[in-house]
Amino acid sequence: MSSGTPAATPVTACRSCGGPAPRLFLSLGSTPIANRLVRADGLDATDPSFPLEVGFCEACTLVQLTHELPALEIFDADYPYFSSFSDMLVRHSEKHVIDLIASRNLGPDSLVVEVASNDGYLLKAFVERGIPVLGIEPTPGPAAAARAAGVPTREEFFGAELAQRLVAEGLKADVIIANNVMAHVPDLNSFVEGFRILLADDGLVDVENPGVGALLAHTEFDTVYHEHFCYFSTIAVQSLMRRHGLELVGVEEFAELHGGTLRWSMQHAAAAKPTASVDSVLGAEHDAGLATFDRYATFGDDVRAVQQDLVALLRGLRAEGRTIAAYGAAAKGATLLNSSGITTDLIDFVVDRNTHKQGRYIPGARLPILDPAALLERQPDYLLLLAWNVKKEIMAQQEEYAARGGRFIVPVPRPVVL
């Protein structure tokens, strides 16, 4: 973490195509950096906050933040996200590994590179099967955890310059995986150019990110935070990849993962043989209006309605003397709480399985983060699922809490009590 308060820089040109500045359609006010959890000895200090606004590029359709913070301010030495704490994500990733080994005929002479490999949760499934890997992970804690798990890891940001160095070392990737990272990249063109440089002639790139279509359809405004610079449609991804000589060859949809995730598969244009899924998804996105500003224009009104309904629900329960806790000290939770004005007056505490987060506080809202065992110890009447994207996993874990009379609140697409 740097000293002093960083500046949020207004975006004056599209991050992808370089066209005019994105056209604003959603403002969530000024919020703290979502993953900068507060330590107990920092509670007397004020959390710096920055504009959190989203716009649409009318040239290439990319949805993106209208302000930018330096990446090192967001992905600092204290970065707390460790992928292995999500059982659903680990299962999803292992299936991806098994499918890639079969479809790409991977073996001991192959190389799989994962960009933003986090704590090695995915690559260790390749290692266990005797396939060489290399993880690229800029945050020290997850990178150290990956190495401890036997996953070779470079502690760097990925881009064209690093890709050139790896090629100079004699490396070429048969498969490049980039899951839940492309949204986190301010310099998209260097990032994708890195794919082109590092990828073997007949290699495959798989990129996963939540799709902007699901964000709109399900009012998933809490997936917006400073760490997510961009929000992708397949239309925008195709434009970006073609600029760097890569071609979409497949698109898969995972409706239950992170609120609606897309996996885009790319190859060098000369080797590409697109499947029918590409035209199918592109057609559906055009039909849904994702290529025009009109589809985004009223999204801010939809968001405000959800926020107002949620706050009214929580206040009503508090007025009845009910106790309320929350589950999931995720970045989306910080956005939902801070942009809606929800603090300790409505929520007593948050629980999270991630031991690296326990004992700290949500920035801005300043809710204490406890071990999930606190739910049975304190038995709050209601549990707000901030990590609603894994609600089935959470509710399965908390069967005893529910058996004792606990109720769950799911905040999006509209607040409901289960």
Side-chain angles (χ1 to χ4, degrees), residues 218-230:
H218 305 139
T219 327
E220 297 171 0
F221 70 95
D222 52 345
T223 61
V224 174
Y225 37 97
H226 301 102
E227 188 177 311
H228 283 171
F229 297 102
C230 299

Side-chain angles (χ1 to χ4, degrees), residues 16-103:
S16 179
C17 70
R23 185 176 174 185
L24 178 68
F25 68 87
L26 174 66
S27 176
L28 294 173
S30 185
T31 71
I33 296 174
N35 269 317
R36 186 165 289 179
L37 303 180
V38 180
R39 296 178 183 273
D41 59 6
L43 289 173
D44 291 336
T46 300
D47 297 324
S49 61
F50 310 93
L52 189 57
E53 299 178 336
V54 190
F56 174 80
C57 174
E58 295 186 287
C60 75
T61 79
L62 180 65
V63 174
Q64 56 200 288
L65 296 186
T66 63
H67 290 75
E68 185 172 304
L69 285 169
L72 286 172
E73 292 292 342
I74 300 171
F75 305 103
D76 62 9
D78 221 18
Y79 188 69
Y81 183 75
F82 288 72
S83 298
S84 291
F85 285 98
S86 172
D87 295 337
M88 182 177 71
L89 183 60
V90 171
R91 290 193 300 271
H92 170 80
S93 300
E94 185 159 16
K95 183 179 185 307
H96 189 194
V97 168
I98 293 169
D99 290 347
L100 280 171
I101 291 172
S103 65

Side-chain angles (χ1 to χ4, degrees), residues 315-323 381:
R315 285 178 176 165
L317 293 172
R318 280 296 213 197
E320 295 172 1
R322 306 295 186 180
T323 53
D381 298 310

Side-chain angles (χ1 to χ4, degrees), residues 185-366:
V185 176
D187 189 349
L188 280 175
N189 288 297
S190 175
F191 187 76
V192 176
E193 181 65 7
F195 291 162
R196 186 195 66 78
I197 293 167
L198 186 58
L199 188 66
D201 290 345
D202 60 347
L204 182 78
V205 181
D206 271 355
V207 173
E208 287 184 17
N209 263 116
V212 75
L215 184 154
L216 295 174
H218 305 139
T219 327
E220 297 171 0
F221 70 95
D222 52 345
T223 61
V224 174
Y225 37 97
H226 301 102
E227 188 177 311
H228 283 171
F229 297 102
C230 299
Y231 306 83
F232 294 97
S233 64
T234 303
I235 300 166
V237 168
Q238 183 182 63
S239 174
L240 171 62
M241 295 298 162
R242 283 181 168 174
R243 198 175 306 118
H244 296 275
L246 298 173
E247 190 68 32
L248 270 170
V249 296
V251 186
E252 289 184 77
E253 300 179 76
F254 303 92
E256 296 295 321
L257 184 65
H258 297 310
T261 289
L262 295 176
R263 177 187 292 157
W264 299 285
S265 298
M266 281 74 59
Q267 291 187 286
H268 290 292
K273 294 181 180 179
T275 64
S277 63
V278 176
D279 284 341
S280 175
V281 174
L282 287 170
E285 289 188 352
H286 279 287
D287 290 345
L290 300 189
T292 63
F293 182 79
D294 289 349
R295 176 63 185 88
Y296 302 85
T298 60
F299 187 62
D301 294 335
D302 297 339
V303 169
R304 282 185 287 276
V306 172
Q307 292 174 317
Q308 290 166 3
D309 288 352
L310 178 60
V311 171
L313 172 62
L314 297 177
R315 285 178 176 165
L317 293 172
R318 280 296 213 197
E320 295 172 1
R322 306 295 186 180
T323 53
I324 309 170
Y327 196 112
K332 59 167 48 70
T335 291
L336 185 144
L337 296 169
N338 288 312
S339 67
S340 305
I342 298 170
T343 63
T344 51
D345 62 328
L346 295 177
I347 305 291
D348 296 318
F349 60 92
V350 179
V351 299
D352 198 291
R353 293 176 67 196
N354 187 335
T355 54
H356 302 277
K357 296 182 179 182
Q358 294 167 11
R360 302 193 190 185
Y361 295 77
I362 300 289
R366 295 298 179 89

